[in-house]
Amino acid sequence: MERIAIDMDEVIADALAKFIKLYNRDYNIPLDLKIDAGNEIYHHVPENVNQKWFDYINEPGFFRDLEVIADSQRVIKALQQKYDVYIVSAAMEFRNSLIDKYDWLAEHFPFIDWQHIMFCGKKIVDADIIIDDRSKNFVNFKGRTLLYTSPHNLLITEYERVSTWEEVAGLLL
Amino acid sequence: MERIAIDMDEVIADALAKFIKLYNRDYNIPLDLKIDAGNEIYHHVPENVNQKWFDYINEPGFFRDLEVIADSQRVIKALQQKYDVYIVSAAMEFRNSLIDKYDWLAEHFPFIDWQHIMFCGKKIVDADIIIDDRSKNFVNFKGRTLLYTSPHNLLITEYERVSTWEEVAGLLL
Protein backbone atom coordinates (compact mmCIF):
# COMPACT_ATOMS: atom_id res chain seq x y z
CA MET A 1 0.00 0.00 0.00
CA GLU A 2 1.46 3.37 -0.97
CA ARG A 3 2.01 5.87 1.83
CA ILE A 4 0.68 9.44 1.69
CA ALA A 5 2.03 12.16 4.00
CA ILE A 6 -0.47 14.99 4.47
CA ASP A 7 0.43 18.35 5.99
CA MET A 8 -1.88 20.17 8.46
CA ASP A 9 -1.75 23.99 8.23
CA GLU A 10 -3.22 25.36 4.99
CA VAL A 11 -3.94 21.80 3.84
CA ILE A 12 -6.46 20.40 6.33
CA ALA A 13 -6.46 23.22 8.93
CA ASP A 14 -7.14 26.87 8.05
CA ALA A 15 -4.42 28.71 9.97
CA LEU A 16 -4.49 31.73 7.66
CA ALA A 17 -8.14 32.49 8.49
CA LYS A 18 -7.24 32.44 12.19
CA PHE A 19 -4.39 34.94 11.66
CA ILE A 20 -6.76 37.26 9.83
CA LYS A 21 -9.37 36.90 12.58
CA LEU A 22 -6.83 37.85 15.26
CA TYR A 23 -5.44 40.77 13.25
CA ASN A 24 -9.04 41.88 12.72
CA ARG A 25 -9.80 41.70 16.44
CA ASP A 26 -6.68 43.61 17.46
CA TYR A 27 -5.95 45.94 14.51
CA ASN A 28 -9.13 46.11 12.41
CA ILE A 29 -7.60 44.28 9.47
CA PRO A 30 -10.61 43.42 7.26
CA LEU A 31 -11.94 39.88 7.64
CA ASP A 32 -12.14 39.54 3.87
CA LEU A 33 -8.45 40.43 3.44
CA LYS A 34 -7.02 38.92 0.27
CA ILE A 35 -3.37 37.83 0.36
CA ASP A 36 -1.58 38.62 -2.89
CA ALA A 37 0.06 35.77 -4.78
CA GLY A 38 3.42 34.98 -3.21
CA ASN A 39 2.77 36.92 -0.03
CA GLU A 40 2.40 35.92 3.59
CA ILE A 41 -0.02 37.47 6.10
CA TYR A 42 2.71 39.74 7.44
CA HIS A 43 2.99 41.48 4.08
CA HIS A 44 -0.58 42.73 4.46
CA VAL A 45 -0.65 44.28 7.91
CA PRO A 46 0.90 47.51 9.22
CA GLU A 47 4.66 47.30 9.63
CA ASN A 48 4.58 47.92 13.36
CA VAL A 49 2.48 44.77 13.92
CA ASN A 50 3.75 42.54 11.12
CA GLN A 51 5.57 40.28 13.59
CA LYS A 52 2.49 39.91 15.78
CA TRP A 53 1.64 36.64 13.94
CA PHE A 54 4.56 35.10 15.81
CA ASP A 55 2.97 35.93 19.17
CA TYR A 56 -0.39 34.60 17.99
CA ILE A 57 1.01 31.30 16.78
CA ASN A 58 2.91 30.71 20.01
CA GLU A 59 -0.14 31.24 22.18
CA PRO A 60 -1.66 28.07 23.66
CA GLY A 61 -4.95 27.47 21.87
CA PHE A 62 -4.01 28.99 18.52
CA PHE A 63 -4.18 25.66 16.69
CA ARG A 64 -7.04 24.20 18.73
CA ASP A 65 -10.00 25.86 17.01
CA LEU A 66 -8.87 26.18 13.40
CA GLU A 67 -11.53 25.57 10.75
CA VAL A 68 -11.22 22.33 8.82
CA ILE A 69 -10.37 22.83 5.14
CA ALA A 70 -13.39 21.94 3.00
CA ASP A 71 -13.82 18.28 2.02
CA SER A 72 -10.54 17.19 3.64
CA GLN A 73 -12.24 14.85 6.11
CA ARG A 74 -14.33 13.05 3.51
CA VAL A 75 -11.54 12.70 0.96
CA ILE A 76 -8.91 11.56 3.50
CA LYS A 77 -11.34 8.94 4.81
CA ALA A 78 -11.72 7.69 1.24
CA LEU A 79 -7.94 7.78 0.68
CA GLN A 80 -7.50 5.47 3.69
CA GLN A 81 -9.26 2.71 1.73
CA LYS A 82 -6.54 2.78 -0.90
CA TYR A 83 -3.45 4.23 0.83
CA ASP A 84 -1.57 4.18 4.12
CA VAL A 85 -2.36 7.77 5.16
CA TYR A 86 -0.21 9.81 7.58
CA ILE A 87 -0.61 13.33 8.93
CA VAL A 88 2.84 14.94 8.98
CA SER A 89 3.11 18.40 10.51
CA ALA A 90 6.18 20.52 11.28
CA ALA A 91 4.70 21.15 14.73
CA MET A 92 8.08 21.12 16.51
CA GLU A 93 8.64 24.75 15.53
CA PHE A 94 6.01 25.79 18.07
CA ARG A 95 6.11 24.09 21.46
CA ASN A 96 2.57 25.05 22.41
CA SER A 97 1.14 23.73 19.16
CA LEU A 98 1.81 20.09 20.04
CA ILE A 99 -1.13 19.39 22.33
CA ASP A 100 -3.48 21.65 20.37
CA LYS A 101 -2.71 19.85 17.12
CA TYR A 102 -3.04 16.47 18.80
CA ASP A 103 -6.47 17.37 20.24
CA TRP A 104 -7.61 19.04 17.00
CA LEU A 105 -6.84 15.87 15.06
CA ALA A 106 -8.63 13.74 17.65
CA GLU A 107 -11.71 15.95 17.28
CA HIS A 108 -11.84 16.38 13.51
CA PHE A 109 -9.99 13.30 12.23
CA PRO A 110 -10.81 10.62 14.81
CA PHE A 111 -10.39 7.98 12.10
CA ILE A 112 -6.63 8.67 11.99
CA ASP A 113 -5.00 6.72 14.84
CA TRP A 114 -1.83 7.73 16.72
CA GLN A 115 0.31 5.41 14.63
CA HIS A 116 -0.40 7.63 11.63
CA ILE A 117 0.42 11.02 13.12
CA MET A 118 3.85 12.61 12.97
CA PHE A 119 4.97 15.94 14.41
CA CYS A 120 8.39 16.84 13.12
CA GLY A 121 10.82 19.47 12.10
CA LYS A 122 12.36 18.65 8.75
CA LYS A 123 10.02 16.25 6.95
CA ILE A 124 12.32 13.26 6.54
CA VAL A 125 9.38 10.97 5.94
CA ASP A 126 9.57 7.71 4.02
CA ALA A 127 6.40 8.00 1.90
CA ASP A 128 5.35 7.76 -1.74
CA ILE A 129 3.21 10.89 -2.00
CA ILE A 130 3.33 14.14 -0.05
CA ILE A 131 0.61 16.81 0.02
CA ASP A 132 1.93 20.09 1.41
CA ASP A 133 1.62 23.84 0.87
CA ARG A 134 5.33 24.51 1.54
CA SER A 135 7.60 23.45 -1.31
CA LYS A 136 10.63 23.53 1.01
CA ASN A 137 9.27 20.22 2.31
CA PHE A 138 9.67 18.70 -1.17
CA VAL A 139 13.41 19.32 -1.47
CA ASN A 140 14.68 15.92 -0.34
CA PHE A 141 11.44 14.02 -0.95
CA LYS A 142 11.82 11.16 -3.42
CA GLY A 143 8.14 10.50 -4.19
CA ARG A 144 5.28 12.37 -5.86
CA THR A 145 4.75 15.91 -4.64
CA LEU A 146 1.36 17.67 -4.62
CA LEU A 147 1.56 21.37 -3.78
CA TYR A 148 -1.66 22.35 -2.02
CA THR A 149 -2.58 25.87 -3.09
CA SER A 150 -2.21 28.68 -0.58
CA PRO A 151 -1.69 32.35 -1.49
CA HIS A 152 2.00 32.23 -0.51
CA ASN A 153 2.78 29.46 -3.04
CA LEU A 154 0.78 30.76 -6.03
CA LEU A 155 3.90 31.87 -7.93
CA ILE A 156 5.58 28.47 -7.66
CA THR A 157 5.27 26.58 -10.93
CA GLU A 158 7.63 23.61 -10.71
CA TYR A 159 5.34 21.22 -8.80
CA GLU A 160 2.11 19.40 -9.53
CA ARG A 161 -0.59 21.51 -7.86
CA VAL A 162 -3.92 20.81 -6.17
CA SER A 163 -6.28 23.58 -5.07
CA THR A 164 -9.13 21.65 -3.45
CA TRP A 165 -9.64 18.26 -1.83
CA GLU A 166 -11.97 17.45 -4.71
CA GLU A 167 -8.95 17.77 -6.99
CA VAL A 168 -6.94 15.47 -4.71
CA ALA A 169 -9.76 12.93 -4.94
CA GLY A 170 -9.74 13.24 -8.73
CA LEU A 171 -6.01 12.55 -8.88
CA LEU A 172 -5.63 9.82 -6.26
CA LEU A 173 -8.93 7.96 -5.98
CA MET B 1 25.62 13.50 5.17
CA GLU B 2 24.05 10.28 6.42
CA ARG B 3 21.00 10.58 8.65
CA ILE B 4 20.69 8.83 12.02
CA ALA B 5 17.33 8.41 13.75
CA ILE B 6 17.72 7.95 17.52
CA ASP B 7 14.92 6.73 19.79
CA MET B 8 14.28 8.23 23.24
CA ASP B 9 12.96 5.76 25.84
CA GLU B 10 15.53 3.13 26.87
CA VAL B 11 18.04 4.68 24.46
CA ILE B 12 18.67 8.21 25.73
CA ALA B 13 16.00 8.40 28.49
CA ASP B 14 15.72 5.84 31.30
CA ALA B 15 11.97 5.15 31.42
CA LEU B 16 12.42 1.72 33.00
CA ALA B 17 14.11 3.17 36.10
CA LYS B 18 11.16 5.54 36.51
CA PHE B 19 8.66 2.66 36.35
CA ILE B 20 10.61 0.80 39.02
CA LYS B 21 10.77 3.93 41.17
CA LEU B 22 6.99 4.39 40.99
CA TYR B 23 6.26 0.70 41.64
CA ASN B 24 8.66 0.94 44.58
CA ARG B 25 6.88 4.00 45.96
CA ASP B 26 3.41 2.48 45.62
CA TYR B 27 3.97 -1.28 46.01
CA ASN B 28 7.41 -1.76 47.59
CA ILE B 29 8.89 -3.35 44.48
CA PRO B 30 12.67 -3.36 45.18
CA LEU B 31 14.59 -0.50 43.60
CA ASP B 32 17.26 -2.94 42.41
CA LEU B 33 14.68 -5.09 40.59
CA LYS B 34 16.27 -6.98 37.71
CA ILE B 35 14.11 -7.55 34.63
CA ASP B 36 14.67 -11.01 33.15
CA ALA B 37 15.76 -11.26 29.54
CA GLY B 38 12.76 -10.85 27.26
CA ASN B 39 10.48 -9.49 29.95
CA GLU B 40 8.80 -6.16 30.48
CA ILE B 41 8.31 -4.40 33.82
CA TYR B 42 4.77 -5.78 34.09
CA HIS B 43 6.09 -9.33 34.23
CA HIS B 44 7.84 -8.54 37.52
CA VAL B 45 5.12 -6.93 39.62
CA PRO B 46 2.07 -8.48 41.33
CA GLU B 47 -0.66 -9.41 38.88
CA ASN B 48 -3.21 -7.07 40.44
CA VAL B 49 -1.01 -4.02 39.64
CA ASN B 50 0.70 -5.16 36.47
CA GLN B 51 -1.29 -2.69 34.37
CA LYS B 52 -0.44 0.21 36.68
CA TRP B 53 2.47 1.13 34.36
CA PHE B 54 -0.15 2.35 31.90
CA ASP B 55 -1.51 4.84 34.46
CA TYR B 56 2.02 5.98 35.31
CA ILE B 57 3.02 6.57 31.71
CA ASN B 58 -0.12 8.57 30.97
CA GLU B 59 0.38 10.91 33.90
CA PRO B 60 1.62 14.40 33.00
CA GLY B 61 5.22 14.65 34.17
CA PHE B 62 6.16 10.99 33.74
CA PHE B 63 8.64 11.72 30.95
CA ARG B 64 9.81 15.09 32.27
CA ASP B 65 12.32 13.92 34.89
CA LEU B 66 13.75 10.72 33.39
CA GLU B 67 17.44 10.15 33.93
CA VAL B 68 19.64 10.57 30.87
CA ILE B 69 21.23 7.31 29.67
CA ALA B 70 24.97 7.38 30.35
CA ASP B 71 27.20 9.02 27.71
CA SER B 72 24.33 9.66 25.29
CA GLN B 73 24.75 13.43 25.37
CA ARG B 74 28.48 13.38 24.70
CA VAL B 75 28.31 10.75 21.94
CA ILE B 76 25.33 12.32 20.17
CA LYS B 77 27.08 15.69 20.18
CA ALA B 78 30.06 14.00 18.54
CA LEU B 79 27.82 12.19 16.03
CA GLN B 80 26.44 15.58 14.93
CA GLN B 81 29.87 16.44 13.53
CA LYS B 82 29.66 13.54 11.11
CA TYR B 83 25.95 12.80 10.67
CA ASP B 84 22.59 14.52 10.36
CA VAL B 85 21.16 13.42 13.72
CA TYR B 86 17.43 13.17 14.49
CA ILE B 87 15.57 12.19 17.64
CA VAL B 88 12.60 10.04 16.61
CA SER B 89 10.20 8.99 19.37
CA ALA B 90 6.86 7.17 19.14
CA ALA B 91 5.45 9.81 21.49
CA MET B 92 2.02 9.89 19.81
CA GLU B 93 0.94 6.84 21.80
CA PHE B 94 0.76 8.98 24.94
CA ARG B 95 -0.86 12.40 24.56
CA ASN B 96 0.61 13.77 27.78
CA SER B 97 4.12 12.74 26.84
CA LEU B 98 4.42 15.30 24.06
CA ILE B 99 5.22 18.42 26.04
CA ASP B 100 7.26 16.50 28.64
CA LYS B 101 9.45 14.96 25.96
CA TYR B 102 9.82 18.31 24.20
CA ASP B 103 10.92 20.03 27.43
CA TRP B 104 13.15 17.12 28.46
CA LEU B 105 15.01 17.33 25.15
CA ALA B 106 15.35 21.11 25.48
CA GLU B 107 16.89 20.62 28.92
CA HIS B 108 19.21 17.69 28.27
CA PHE B 109 19.89 17.94 24.52
CA PRO B 110 19.75 21.70 23.84
CA PHE B 111 22.14 21.16 20.91
CA ILE B 112 19.39 19.33 18.98
CA ASP B 113 17.17 21.95 17.32
CA TRP B 114 13.45 21.56 16.55
CA GLN B 115 14.15 20.67 12.93
CA HIS B 116 15.77 17.45 14.16
CA ILE B 117 13.04 16.22 16.50
CA MET B 118 10.21 13.93 15.40
CA PHE B 119 7.33 12.59 17.48
CA CYS B 120 5.51 9.90 15.58
CA GLY B 121 3.56 6.73 15.65
CA LYS B 122 4.94 4.27 13.14
CA LYS B 123 8.54 5.24 12.42
CA ILE B 124 8.30 5.87 8.69
CA VAL B 125 11.51 7.88 8.75
CA ASP B 126 13.77 8.37 5.76
CA ALA B 127 17.18 7.81 7.39
CA ASP B 128 20.31 5.70 6.88
CA ILE B 129 20.81 4.42 10.43
CA ILE B 130 18.31 3.85 13.23
CA ILE B 131 19.16 3.28 16.91
CA ASP B 132 16.19 1.86 18.80
CA ASP B 133 15.39 -0.64 21.56
CA ARG B 134 12.20 -1.89 19.84
CA SER B 135 12.86 -4.12 16.86
CA LYS B 136 9.28 -3.58 15.61
CA ASN B 137 10.58 -0.18 14.47
CA PHE B 138 13.05 -1.92 12.15
CA VAL B 139 10.48 -3.86 10.14
CA ASN B 140 10.12 -1.48 7.21
CA PHE B 141 13.39 0.37 7.72
CA LYS B 142 15.73 0.16 4.74
CA GLY B 143 18.97 1.31 6.39
CA ARG B 144 21.31 0.01 9.09
CA THR B 145 19.63 -1.01 12.34
CA LEU B 146 21.28 -0.83 15.75
CA LEU B 147 19.30 -2.50 18.52
CA TYR B 148 20.01 -0.67 21.77
CA THR B 149 20.05 -3.21 24.58
CA SER B 150 17.20 -3.20 27.06
CA PRO B 151 16.08 -6.23 29.11
CA HIS B 152 12.99 -6.76 26.96
CA ASN B 153 15.07 -7.21 23.77
CA LEU B 154 17.87 -9.44 25.15
CA LEU B 155 16.55 -12.57 23.42
CA ILE B 156 16.46 -10.96 19.98
CA THR B 157 19.42 -12.08 17.91
CA GLU B 158 18.75 -10.99 14.33
CA TYR B 159 19.96 -7.39 14.62
CA GLU B 160 23.28 -5.66 15.18
CA ARG B 161 23.29 -4.75 18.88
CA VAL B 162 24.75 -1.91 20.95
CA SER B 163 24.67 -1.95 24.75
CA THR B 164 26.27 1.39 25.63
CA TRP B 165 26.81 4.75 23.99
CA GLU B 166 30.52 4.02 24.07
CA GLU B 167 29.79 1.10 21.74
CA VAL B 168 27.81 3.39 19.44
CA ALA B 169 30.78 5.74 19.35
CA GLY B 170 33.07 2.84 18.51
CA LEU B 171 30.88 1.79 15.59
CA LEU B 172 29.94 5.15 14.10
CA LEU B 173 32.67 7.64 14.97
Side-chain angles (χ1 to χ4, degrees):
Chain A
M1 216 182 220
E2 283 191 307
R3 290 185 195 143
I4 309 184
I6 299 172
D7 181 35
M8 289 183 73
D9 300 321
E10 299 312 298
V11 175
I12 63 171
D14 196 346
L16 182 54
K18 180 81 179 274
F19 280 128
I20 293 174
K21 210 170 123 182
L22 294 174
Y23 271 113
N24 170 269
R25 182 194 68 187
D26 297 341
Y27 307 104
N28 291 311
I29 303 301
L31 278 174
D32 62 350
L33 177 74
K34 287 281 163 288
I35 310 289
D36 290 342
N39 277 3
E40 306 281 350
I41 179 72
Y42 54 81
H43 293 109
H44 289 267
V45 298
E47 212 181 313
N48 61 318
V49 294
N50 71 2
Q51 291 307 305
K52 190 71 186 170
W53 69 273
F54 195 73
D55 297 332
Y56 291 146
I57 208 169
N58 278 301
E59 233 166 76
F62 178 89
F63 290 97
R64 185 60 190 88
D65 62 354
L66 301 186
E67 295 290 328
V68 179
I69 300 275
D71 302 318
S72 60
Q73 290 150 311
R74 182 175 49 79
V75 173
I76 287 175
K77 213 169 195 168
L79 287 171
Q80 282 183 320
Q81 303 304 310
K82 214 179 143 183
Y83 301 89
D84 197 18
V85 176
Y86 293 81
I87 301 297
V88 179
S89 169
M92 286 299 155
E93 190 168 3
F94 305 109
R95 174 186 182 277
N96 293 328
S97 75
L98 297 173
I99 210 71
D100 284 341
K101 281 173 178 266
Y102 186 96
D103 290 342
W104 187 91
L105 284 170
E107 179 184 349
H108 299 292
F109 292 82
F111 48 89
I112 297 178
D113 64 37
W114 67 267
Q115 304 255 20
H116 291 83
I117 300 173
M118 183 184 274
F119 292 165
C120 58
K122 280 193 213 165
K123 298 197 174 178
I124 55 159
V125 53
D126 182 18
D128 303 287
I129 301 168
I130 189 169
I131 306 176
D132 208 299
D133 69 307
R134 297 278 172 190
S135 61
K136 68 177 178 186
N137 293 320
F138 297 166
V139 174
N140 288 306
F141 190 76
K142 291 158 197 140
R144 180 177 180 184
T145 57
L146 295 180
L147 186 66
Y148 199 96
T149 292
S150 178
H152 70 80
N153 68 31
L154 278 171
L155 302 179
I156 294 172
T157 55
E158 61 261 56
Y159 296 104
E160 189 176 6
R161 177 184 292 279
V162 286
S163 296
T164 65
W165 276 96
E166 268 310 316
E167 277 182 45
V168 176
L171 285 173
L172 299 182
L173 290 174
Chain B
M1 215 181 220
E2 282 192 308
R3 289 183 195 144
I4 309 183
I6 300 172
D7 181 35
M8 290 182 74
D9 300 321
E10 300 312 297
V11 175
I12 63 171
D14 196 347
L16 181 54
K18 180 81 180 274
F19 281 128
I20 293 174
K21 209 169 123 183
L22 293 174
Y23 271 112
N24 171 268
R25 182 194 69 188
D26 297 343
Y27 306 104
N28 290 312
I29 303 301
L31 278 174
D32 62 351
L33 178 74
K34 286 282 163 287
I35 310 289
D36 289 342
N39 276 3
E40 307 281 349
I41 178 72
Y42 55 79
H43 293 110
H44 289 268
V45 298
E47 211 181 314
N48 61 318
V49 294
N50 70 3
Q51 291 307 304
K52 191 69 188 172
W53 68 273
F54 195 74
D55 296 332
Y56 292 147
I57 207 169
N58 278 300
E59 232 166 75
F62 178 87
F63 291 96
R64 185 59 189 87
D65 62 354
L66 301 187
E67 294 290 327
V68 179
I69 301 274
D71 302 318
S72 60
Q73 290 150 309
R74 184 175 48 81
V75 174
I76 288 174
K77 213 169 194 169
L79 287 171
Q80 283 182 320
Q81 303 305 309
K82 214 179 142 183
Y83 301 90
D84 196 18
V85 176
Y86 293 81
I87 301 297
V88 179
S89 169
M92 287 299 155
E93 191 168 2
F94 305 108
R95 174 186 183 276
N96 293 329
S97 76
L98 297 173
I99 211 71
D100 283 341
K101 281 173 177 267
Y102 186 95
D103 290 342
W104 186 91
L105 285 170
E107 180 184 348
H108 299 291
F109 292 82
F111 48 89
I112 297 178
D113 64 37
W114 67 266
Q115 304 255 20
H116 291 83
I117 300 172
M118 183 183 273
F119 292 165
C120 58
K122 280 192 211 165
K123 297 198 175 180
I124 55 159
V125 54
D126 182 16
D128 304 287
I129 301 167
I130 188 168
I131 305 176
D132 208 299
D133 69 306
R134 298 277 171 190
S135 60
K136 68 177 177 184
N137 293 320
F138 296 165
V139 175
N140 289 307
F141 189 75
K142 291 158 199 140
R144 181 177 179 183
T145 57
L146 295 180
L147 186 66
Y148 199 96
T149 292
S150 178
H152 70 79
N153 68 32
L154 278 171
L155 302 178
I156 294 172
T157 55
E158 61 260 58
Y159 298 103
E160 189 176 5
R161 177 185 293 278
V162 286
S163 296
T164 64
W165 276 96
E166 268 310 316
E167 277 182 47
V168 176
L171 286 173
L172 300 181
L173 289 174

